[in-house]
Short mmCIF file of all heavy atoms in Angstrom, two decimals:
data_model
loop_
_atom_site.label_atom_id
_atom_site.label_comp_id
_atom_site.label_asym_id
_atom_site.label_seq_id
_atom_site.Cartn_x
_atom_site.Cartn_y
_atom_site.Cartn_z
N MET H 191 102.48 102.02 103.40
CA MET H 191 101.38 102.42 102.54
C MET H 191 100.43 101.27 102.26
O MET H 191 100.86 100.17 101.98
CB MET H 191 101.95 102.95 101.22
CG MET H 191 100.87 103.45 100.28
SD MET H 191 101.48 104.41 98.92
CE MET H 191 102.21 105.80 99.73
N LEU H 192 99.14 101.59 102.40
CA LEU H 192 98.16 100.54 102.27
C LEU H 192 97.71 100.37 100.82
O LEU H 192 97.60 101.36 100.09
CB LEU H 192 96.92 100.98 103.11
CG LEU H 192 96.00 99.86 103.48
CD1 LEU H 192 96.67 98.92 104.53
CD2 LEU H 192 94.72 100.44 104.07
N LYS H 193 97.43 99.13 100.41
CA LYS H 193 96.98 98.87 99.07
C LYS H 193 95.76 98.00 99.11
O LYS H 193 95.61 97.13 99.97
CB LYS H 193 98.05 98.17 98.25
CG LYS H 193 99.23 99.02 97.88
CD LYS H 193 100.11 98.26 96.93
CE LYS H 193 99.46 98.02 95.60
NZ LYS H 193 100.43 97.49 94.59
N VAL H 194 94.86 98.17 98.12
CA VAL H 194 93.69 97.32 97.95
C VAL H 194 93.96 96.39 96.80
O VAL H 194 94.28 96.88 95.67
CB VAL H 194 92.43 98.13 97.68
CG1 VAL H 194 91.22 97.19 97.52
CG2 VAL H 194 92.16 99.15 98.73
N ASP H 195 93.79 95.10 97.00
CA ASP H 195 93.82 94.17 95.88
C ASP H 195 92.41 94.09 95.33
O ASP H 195 91.51 93.48 95.87
CB ASP H 195 94.28 92.81 96.36
CG ASP H 195 94.38 91.80 95.23
OD1 ASP H 195 93.77 92.03 94.18
OD2 ASP H 195 95.08 90.80 95.42
N GLU H 196 92.19 94.80 94.22
CA GLU H 196 90.83 94.91 93.69
C GLU H 196 90.33 93.62 93.08
O GLU H 196 89.12 93.46 92.84
CB GLU H 196 90.82 96.00 92.60
CG GLU H 196 91.07 97.38 93.22
CD GLU H 196 90.93 98.53 92.25
OE1 GLU H 196 90.58 98.25 91.05
OE2 GLU H 196 91.12 99.68 92.65
N THR H 197 91.19 92.68 92.85
CA THR H 197 90.77 91.37 92.36
C THR H 197 90.19 90.53 93.53
O THR H 197 89.50 89.53 93.29
CB THR H 197 91.91 90.59 91.70
OG1 THR H 197 92.88 90.28 92.67
CG2 THR H 197 92.49 91.38 90.55
N ARG H 198 90.48 90.90 94.76
CA ARG H 198 89.98 90.18 95.91
C ARG H 198 88.81 90.85 96.56
O ARG H 198 87.92 90.16 97.14
CB ARG H 198 91.07 90.02 96.97
CG ARG H 198 92.14 89.03 96.65
CD ARG H 198 93.17 88.98 97.75
NE ARG H 198 94.15 88.00 97.55
CZ ARG H 198 94.35 86.95 98.35
NH1 ARG H 198 93.69 86.82 99.44
NH2 ARG H 198 95.29 86.09 98.08
N CYS H 199 88.78 92.18 96.60
CA CYS H 199 87.77 92.90 97.36
C CYS H 199 86.37 92.56 96.85
O CYS H 199 86.09 92.57 95.67
CB CYS H 199 88.04 94.40 97.20
SG CYS H 199 86.72 95.42 97.98
N VAL H 200 85.48 92.28 97.81
CA VAL H 200 84.10 91.96 97.45
C VAL H 200 83.14 93.09 97.83
O VAL H 200 81.92 92.93 97.77
CB VAL H 200 83.64 90.64 98.12
CG1 VAL H 200 84.41 89.44 97.55
CG2 VAL H 200 83.77 90.71 99.64
N GLY H 201 83.73 94.23 98.26
CA GLY H 201 82.89 95.40 98.53
C GLY H 201 82.01 95.27 99.77
O GLY H 201 80.95 95.89 99.85
N CYS H 202 82.45 94.46 100.77
CA CYS H 202 81.55 94.18 101.90
C CYS H 202 81.39 95.41 102.81
O CYS H 202 80.43 95.46 103.54
CB CYS H 202 82.09 93.02 102.69
SG CYS H 202 83.62 93.42 103.57
N GLY H 203 82.33 96.33 102.77
CA GLY H 203 82.25 97.54 103.56
C GLY H 203 82.70 97.45 105.01
O GLY H 203 82.66 98.41 105.76
N LEU H 204 83.23 96.27 105.40
CA LEU H 204 83.68 96.15 106.78
C LEU H 204 84.83 97.06 107.08
O LEU H 204 84.90 97.70 108.13
CB LEU H 204 84.13 94.71 107.08
CG LEU H 204 83.07 93.74 107.49
CD1 LEU H 204 83.69 92.33 107.63
CD2 LEU H 204 82.43 94.16 108.79
N CYS H 205 85.75 97.20 106.16
CA CYS H 205 86.87 98.11 106.37
C CYS H 205 86.42 99.54 106.48
O CYS H 205 86.97 100.30 107.30
CB CYS H 205 87.86 97.96 105.20
SG CYS H 205 87.17 98.31 103.61
N VAL H 206 85.40 99.93 105.72
CA VAL H 206 84.90 101.29 105.78
C VAL H 206 84.28 101.51 107.20
O VAL H 206 84.53 102.58 107.83
CB VAL H 206 83.77 101.48 104.75
CG1 VAL H 206 83.16 102.86 104.87
CG2 VAL H 206 84.32 101.24 103.34
N TYR H 207 83.58 100.52 107.71
CA TYR H 207 82.95 100.60 109.01
C TYR H 207 83.97 100.79 110.10
O TYR H 207 83.81 101.53 111.06
CB TYR H 207 82.11 99.35 109.24
CG TYR H 207 81.34 99.40 110.54
CD1 TYR H 207 80.19 100.15 110.64
CD2 TYR H 207 81.79 98.68 111.64
CE1 TYR H 207 79.48 100.19 111.86
CE2 TYR H 207 81.12 98.71 112.84
CZ TYR H 207 79.92 99.47 112.93
OH TYR H 207 79.26 99.51 114.15
N PHE H 208 85.10 100.02 110.02
CA PHE H 208 86.08 100.02 111.16
C PHE H 208 87.15 101.07 111.01
O PHE H 208 87.89 101.29 111.95
CB PHE H 208 86.69 98.63 111.28
CG PHE H 208 85.74 97.63 111.89
CD1 PHE H 208 85.14 96.64 111.15
CD2 PHE H 208 85.43 97.73 113.23
CE1 PHE H 208 84.28 95.77 111.73
CE2 PHE H 208 84.54 96.81 113.81
CZ PHE H 208 83.96 95.82 113.04
N CYS H 209 87.28 101.75 109.87
CA CYS H 209 88.32 102.70 109.72
C CYS H 209 88.08 103.93 110.61
O CYS H 209 87.06 104.54 110.50
CB CYS H 209 88.43 103.19 108.26
SG CYS H 209 89.66 104.49 108.02
N PRO H 210 89.03 104.23 111.55
CA PRO H 210 88.80 105.33 112.49
C PRO H 210 88.94 106.70 111.83
O PRO H 210 88.53 107.71 112.44
CB PRO H 210 89.86 105.09 113.55
CG PRO H 210 90.94 104.41 112.84
CD PRO H 210 90.32 103.54 111.76
N THR H 211 89.55 106.78 110.69
CA THR H 211 89.79 108.12 110.10
C THR H 211 88.95 108.37 108.84
O THR H 211 89.16 109.30 108.10
CB THR H 211 91.27 108.26 109.72
OG1 THR H 211 91.60 107.30 108.68
CG2 THR H 211 92.19 108.03 110.91
N ASP H 212 87.99 107.45 108.57
CA ASP H 212 87.10 107.65 107.45
C ASP H 212 87.87 107.69 106.11
O ASP H 212 87.53 108.48 105.24
CB ASP H 212 86.27 108.93 107.64
CG ASP H 212 84.97 108.88 106.90
OD1 ASP H 212 84.51 107.80 106.60
OD2 ASP H 212 84.36 109.97 106.63
N ALA H 213 88.93 106.89 106.00
CA ALA H 213 89.78 106.93 104.83
C ALA H 213 89.33 105.97 103.75
O ALA H 213 89.89 105.99 102.65
CB ALA H 213 91.22 106.60 105.22
N LEU H 214 88.32 105.19 104.03
CA LEU H 214 87.90 104.15 103.07
C LEU H 214 86.51 104.37 102.57
O LEU H 214 85.62 104.83 103.30
CB LEU H 214 87.98 102.76 103.71
CG LEU H 214 89.42 102.33 104.08
CD1 LEU H 214 89.35 101.21 105.15
CD2 LEU H 214 90.16 101.86 102.87
N ARG H 215 86.27 104.01 101.34
CA ARG H 215 84.93 104.01 100.75
C ARG H 215 84.79 102.71 99.91
O ARG H 215 85.75 102.31 99.29
CB ARG H 215 84.73 105.19 99.78
CG ARG H 215 84.64 106.54 100.47
CD ARG H 215 83.28 106.74 101.14
NE ARG H 215 83.24 108.02 101.79
CZ ARG H 215 83.62 108.30 103.02
NH1 ARG H 215 84.14 107.30 103.74
NH2 ARG H 215 83.55 109.50 103.56
N ALA H 216 83.64 102.10 99.96
CA ALA H 216 83.41 100.90 99.16
C ALA H 216 82.32 101.12 98.15
O ALA H 216 81.13 101.26 98.54
CB ALA H 216 83.06 99.71 100.05
N TRP H 217 82.67 101.32 96.92
CA TRP H 217 81.70 101.42 95.84
C TRP H 217 82.07 100.29 94.86
O TRP H 217 82.97 100.46 94.05
CB TRP H 217 81.82 102.74 95.06
CG TRP H 217 81.28 103.94 95.83
CD1 TRP H 217 80.02 104.09 96.32
CD2 TRP H 217 82.01 105.12 96.16
NE1 TRP H 217 79.92 105.33 96.91
CE2 TRP H 217 81.10 105.95 96.85
CE3 TRP H 217 83.31 105.54 95.95
CZ2 TRP H 217 81.47 107.21 97.31
CZ3 TRP H 217 83.68 106.78 96.44
CH2 TRP H 217 82.77 107.60 97.12
N GLY H 218 81.51 99.14 95.06
CA GLY H 218 81.91 98.01 94.23
C GLY H 218 83.21 97.45 94.78
O GLY H 218 83.19 96.31 95.28
N VAL H 219 84.28 98.17 94.72
CA VAL H 219 85.50 97.78 95.44
C VAL H 219 85.92 98.93 96.34
O VAL H 219 85.50 100.05 96.17
CB VAL H 219 86.66 97.41 94.49
CG1 VAL H 219 86.34 96.22 93.62
CG2 VAL H 219 87.07 98.57 93.62
N CYS H 220 86.79 98.59 97.27
CA CYS H 220 87.23 99.57 98.26
C CYS H 220 88.22 100.56 97.66
O CYS H 220 89.10 100.18 96.88
CB CYS H 220 87.87 98.77 99.40
SG CYS H 220 88.56 99.75 100.64
N ARG H 221 88.09 101.81 98.10
CA ARG H 221 89.06 102.83 97.69
C ARG H 221 89.63 103.53 98.98
O ARG H 221 88.88 103.75 99.90
CB ARG H 221 88.39 103.94 96.90
CG ARG H 221 87.64 103.47 95.70
CD ARG H 221 88.53 103.35 94.50
NE ARG H 221 87.73 102.82 93.40
CZ ARG H 221 88.26 102.07 92.41
NH1 ARG H 221 89.51 101.78 92.41
NH2 ARG H 221 87.53 101.60 91.45
N ILE H 222 90.87 103.84 98.89
CA ILE H 222 91.52 104.49 100.06
C ILE H 222 91.85 105.92 99.72
O ILE H 222 92.37 106.20 98.64
CB ILE H 222 92.84 103.81 100.40
CG1 ILE H 222 92.62 102.31 100.76
CG2 ILE H 222 93.48 104.47 101.59
CD1 ILE H 222 93.89 101.54 100.85
N THR H 223 91.51 106.83 100.64
CA THR H 223 92.06 108.19 100.56
C THR H 223 93.35 108.21 101.37
O THR H 223 93.29 108.24 102.61
CB THR H 223 91.05 109.22 101.06
OG1 THR H 223 89.85 109.04 100.35
CG2 THR H 223 91.58 110.63 100.92
N ARG H 224 94.47 108.13 100.75
CA ARG H 224 95.73 107.89 101.46
C ARG H 224 96.11 109.00 102.39
O ARG H 224 96.68 108.81 103.44
CB ARG H 224 96.89 107.69 100.43
CG ARG H 224 96.71 106.39 99.68
CD ARG H 224 98.05 105.68 99.50
NE ARG H 224 97.82 104.31 98.99
CZ ARG H 224 97.75 104.03 97.69
NH1 ARG H 224 97.93 104.98 96.83
NH2 ARG H 224 97.55 102.80 97.29
N GLU H 225 95.69 110.25 102.08
CA GLU H 225 96.02 111.39 102.93
C GLU H 225 95.33 111.19 104.31
O GLU H 225 95.81 111.71 105.31
CB GLU H 225 95.55 112.69 102.34
CG GLU H 225 96.06 112.96 100.94
CD GLU H 225 95.13 112.37 99.90
OE1 GLU H 225 94.10 112.95 99.55
OE2 GLU H 225 95.50 111.24 99.42
N ASP H 226 94.21 110.46 104.34
CA ASP H 226 93.45 110.33 105.56
C ASP H 226 93.86 109.04 106.34
O ASP H 226 93.46 108.89 107.46
CB ASP H 226 91.96 110.22 105.28
CG ASP H 226 91.43 111.54 104.76
OD1 ASP H 226 92.04 112.57 105.00
OD2 ASP H 226 90.37 111.51 104.11
N CYS H 227 94.65 108.20 105.76
CA CYS H 227 95.00 106.95 106.37
C CYS H 227 96.19 107.09 107.33
O CYS H 227 97.22 107.66 106.95
CB CYS H 227 95.37 105.89 105.30
SG CYS H 227 95.99 104.36 106.00
N ASN H 228 96.04 106.67 108.59
CA ASN H 228 97.10 106.75 109.55
C ASN H 228 97.82 105.39 109.73
O ASN H 228 98.57 105.21 110.69
CB ASN H 228 96.61 107.29 110.85
CG ASN H 228 95.66 106.34 111.58
OD1 ASN H 228 95.47 105.22 111.13
ND2 ASN H 228 95.06 106.77 112.67
N GLU H 229 97.57 104.45 108.83
CA GLU H 229 98.22 103.15 108.83
C GLU H 229 97.96 102.39 110.12
O GLU H 229 98.80 101.64 110.59
CB GLU H 229 99.76 103.33 108.62
CG GLU H 229 100.08 104.15 107.41
CD GLU H 229 100.34 103.33 106.16
OE1 GLU H 229 100.60 102.11 106.29
OE2 GLU H 229 100.25 103.89 105.09
N CYS H 230 96.77 102.50 110.73
CA CYS H 230 96.50 101.81 111.95
C CYS H 230 96.33 100.27 111.69
O CYS H 230 96.46 99.47 112.58
CB CYS H 230 95.25 102.34 112.60
SG CYS H 230 93.68 101.89 111.78
N LEU H 231 96.03 99.95 110.46
CA LEU H 231 95.87 98.56 109.98
C LEU H 231 94.67 97.84 110.53
O LEU H 231 94.57 96.62 110.40
CB LEU H 231 97.15 97.75 110.23
CG LEU H 231 98.44 98.35 109.64
CD1 LEU H 231 99.59 97.40 109.83
CD2 LEU H 231 98.24 98.71 108.16
N ALA H 232 93.71 98.54 111.12
CA ALA H 232 92.48 97.90 111.55
C ALA H 232 91.78 97.24 110.36
O ALA H 232 91.28 96.10 110.44
CB ALA H 232 91.56 98.94 112.18
N CYS H 233 91.76 97.92 109.25
CA CYS H 233 91.07 97.36 108.08
C CYS H 233 91.69 96.07 107.59
O CYS H 233 90.96 95.16 107.15
CB CYS H 233 91.06 98.43 106.95
SG CYS H 233 92.65 98.96 106.48
N VAL H 234 93.00 96.00 107.71
CA VAL H 234 93.72 94.78 107.29
C VAL H 234 93.22 93.57 108.15
O VAL H 234 92.99 92.51 107.62
CB VAL H 234 95.22 94.97 107.40
CG1 VAL H 234 95.98 93.65 107.10
CG2 VAL H 234 95.72 96.07 106.51
N ASP H 235 93.02 93.84 109.42
CA ASP H 235 92.57 92.76 110.33
C ASP H 235 91.12 92.35 110.01
O ASP H 235 90.78 91.19 110.13
CB ASP H 235 92.60 93.26 111.79
CG ASP H 235 94.03 93.21 112.32
OD1 ASP H 235 94.90 92.59 111.72
OD2 ASP H 235 94.25 93.86 113.37
N TYR H 236 90.30 93.30 109.64
CA TYR H 236 88.89 92.98 109.51
C TYR H 236 88.50 92.46 108.11
O TYR H 236 87.46 91.86 107.94
CB TYR H 236 88.01 94.22 109.84
CG TYR H 236 87.94 94.47 111.32
CD1 TYR H 236 88.58 95.51 111.92
CD2 TYR H 236 87.21 93.57 112.15
CE1 TYR H 236 88.52 95.71 113.29
CE2 TYR H 236 87.08 93.79 113.49
CZ TYR H 236 87.71 94.88 114.07
OH TYR H 236 87.68 95.06 115.42
N CYS H 237 89.30 92.75 107.11
CA CYS H 237 88.92 92.30 105.76
C CYS H 237 88.79 90.82 105.70
O CYS H 237 89.77 90.08 106.01
CB CYS H 237 89.93 92.84 104.74
SG CYS H 237 89.51 92.30 103.07
N PRO H 238 87.64 90.27 105.31
CA PRO H 238 87.45 88.82 105.30
C PRO H 238 88.16 88.09 104.20
O PRO H 238 88.25 86.87 104.20
CB PRO H 238 85.91 88.66 105.22
CG PRO H 238 85.46 89.89 104.47
CD PRO H 238 86.43 91.00 104.94
N VAL H 239 88.59 88.83 103.19
CA VAL H 239 89.18 88.17 102.03
C VAL H 239 90.65 88.60 101.79
O VAL H 239 91.26 88.39 100.76
CB VAL H 239 88.40 88.46 100.72
CG1 VAL H 239 86.99 87.77 100.84
CG2 VAL H 239 88.25 89.95 100.46
N ASP H 240 91.26 89.21 102.81
CA ASP H 240 92.64 89.62 102.73
C ASP H 240 92.95 90.53 101.55
O ASP H 240 93.98 90.39 100.88
CB ASP H 240 93.57 88.43 102.69
CG ASP H 240 93.60 87.72 104.04
OD1 ASP H 240 93.39 88.37 105.09
OD2 ASP H 240 93.83 86.48 104.09
N ALA H 241 92.03 91.44 101.27
CA ALA H 241 92.20 92.32 100.09
C ALA H 241 93.06 93.57 100.44
O ALA H 241 93.50 94.28 99.55
CB ALA H 241 90.87 92.79 99.55
N LEU H 242 93.24 93.81 101.73
CA LEU H 242 94.04 94.99 102.13
C LEU H 242 95.40 94.51 102.61
O LEU H 242 95.50 93.58 103.41
CB LEU H 242 93.31 95.73 103.23
CG LEU H 242 92.00 96.41 102.76
CD1 LEU H 242 91.08 96.64 103.97
CD2 LEU H 242 92.31 97.70 102.07
N GLN H 243 96.43 95.18 102.09
CA GLN H 243 97.79 94.82 102.48
C GLN H 243 98.62 96.03 102.59
O GLN H 243 98.38 97.03 101.92
CB GLN H 243 98.42 93.91 101.36
CG GLN H 243 97.79 92.58 101.24
CD GLN H 243 97.59 92.17 99.79
OE1 GLN H 243 98.17 92.73 98.90
NE2 GLN H 243 96.70 91.18 99.55
N GLN H 244 99.61 95.94 103.46
CA GLN H 244 100.56 97.03 103.62
C GLN H 244 101.66 96.83 102.66
O GLN H 244 102.34 95.76 102.71
CB GLN H 244 101.04 97.14 105.05
CG GLN H 244 101.76 98.49 105.30
CD GLN H 244 102.13 98.65 106.74
OE1 GLN H 244 102.46 97.67 107.40
NE2 GLN H 244 102.10 99.84 107.22
N ALA H 245 101.90 97.73 101.75
CA ALA H 245 102.98 97.65 100.78
C ALA H 245 104.22 98.38 101.36
O ALA H 245 104.08 99.29 102.17
CB ALA H 245 102.58 98.27 99.46
N ALA H 246 105.38 97.96 100.88
CA ALA H 246 106.59 98.65 101.34
C ALA H 246 106.59 100.11 100.92
O ALA H 246 106.05 100.45 99.88
CB ALA H 246 107.82 97.92 100.75
N THR H 247 107.16 100.95 101.75
CA THR H 247 107.21 102.37 101.45
C THR H 247 107.95 102.59 100.12
O THR H 247 108.92 101.90 99.81
CB THR H 247 107.99 103.12 102.55
OG1 THR H 247 107.39 102.79 103.77
CG2 THR H 247 107.92 104.58 102.34
N GLY H 248 107.41 103.48 99.33
CA GLY H 248 108.02 103.76 98.03
C GLY H 248 107.27 103.07 96.89
O GLY H 248 107.44 103.44 95.75
N GLN H 249 106.46 102.05 97.22
CA GLN H 249 105.65 101.45 96.14
C GLN H 249 104.30 102.13 96.09
O GLN H 249 103.93 102.87 97.01
CB GLN H 249 105.44 99.97 96.48
CG GLN H 249 106.68 99.17 96.33
CD GLN H 249 106.44 97.72 96.61
OE1 GLN H 249 105.31 97.29 96.79
NE2 GLN H 249 107.52 96.90 96.68
N ASN H 250 103.55 101.88 95.06
CA ASN H 250 102.31 102.48 94.92
C ASN H 250 101.20 101.64 95.44
O ASN H 250 100.67 100.79 94.93
CB ASN H 250 102.05 102.78 93.46
CG ASN H 250 101.66 104.21 93.27
OD1 ASN H 250 101.35 104.89 94.25
ND2 ASN H 250 101.60 104.66 92.04
S1 SF4 V 207 94.96 101.43 107.93
FE1 SF4 V 207 93.52 102.31 109.51
S2 SF4 V 207 93.29 104.48 108.92
FE2 SF4 V 207 94.17 103.43 107.16
S3 SF4 V 207 92.44 102.87 105.86
FE3 SF4 V 207 92.88 101.11 107.21
S4 SF4 V 207 91.53 101.35 109.01
FE4 SF4 V 207 91.65 103.34 107.89
S1 SF4 V 208 86.82 94.67 104.09
FE1 SF4 V 208 87.93 93.85 102.31
S2 SF4 V 208 86.46 92.96 100.98
FE2 SF4 V 208 85.34 94.33 102.38
S3 SF4 V 208 85.21 96.28 101.24
FE3 SF4 V 208 87.07 96.30 102.55
S4 SF4 V 208 88.74 95.62 101.22
FE4 SF4 V 208 86.83 95.02 100.25
#
């Protein structure tokens, strides 16, 4: 499960641009629609400030 560290996100929108399933929106900080996320992790690679992380299953 993907998580956004809102203290790091600068709202650059790169993750939104590269997400293949349109699961991300950046309004100030990035938001994930988890139902749409297929865990491809492209956004994790592109985020310039490491604000996106994959959390262990079962965590929020
Ligand atoms: S892991 Fe992939 S599908 Fe999920 S939000 Fe990131 S880019 Fe989109
Ligand atoms: S790429 Fe990173 S810093 Fe940019 S909007 Fe997405 S989570 Fe925030």
Side-chain angles (χ1 to χ4, degrees):
M191 180 167 296
L192 200 70
K193 287 187 70 170
V194 181
D195 182 340
E196 295 186 0
T197 65
R198 285 180 176 241
C199 176
V200 294
C202 70
L204 274 178
C205 58
V206 177
Y207 183 78
F208 286 107
C209 176
T211 65
D212 206 22
L214 294 161
R215 290 284 180 273
W217 287 301
V219 295
C220 176
R221 306 272 178 211
I222 302 170
T223 303
R224 292 219 170 90
E225 306 85 82
D226 292 339
C227 175
N228 67 7
E229 307 267 340
C230 73
L231 305 186
C233 57
V234 175
D235 283 344
Y236 284 109
C237 180
V239 294
D240 291 331
L242 292 157
Q243 292 136 19
Q244 194 175 33
T247 306
Q249 291 181 7
N250 231 348

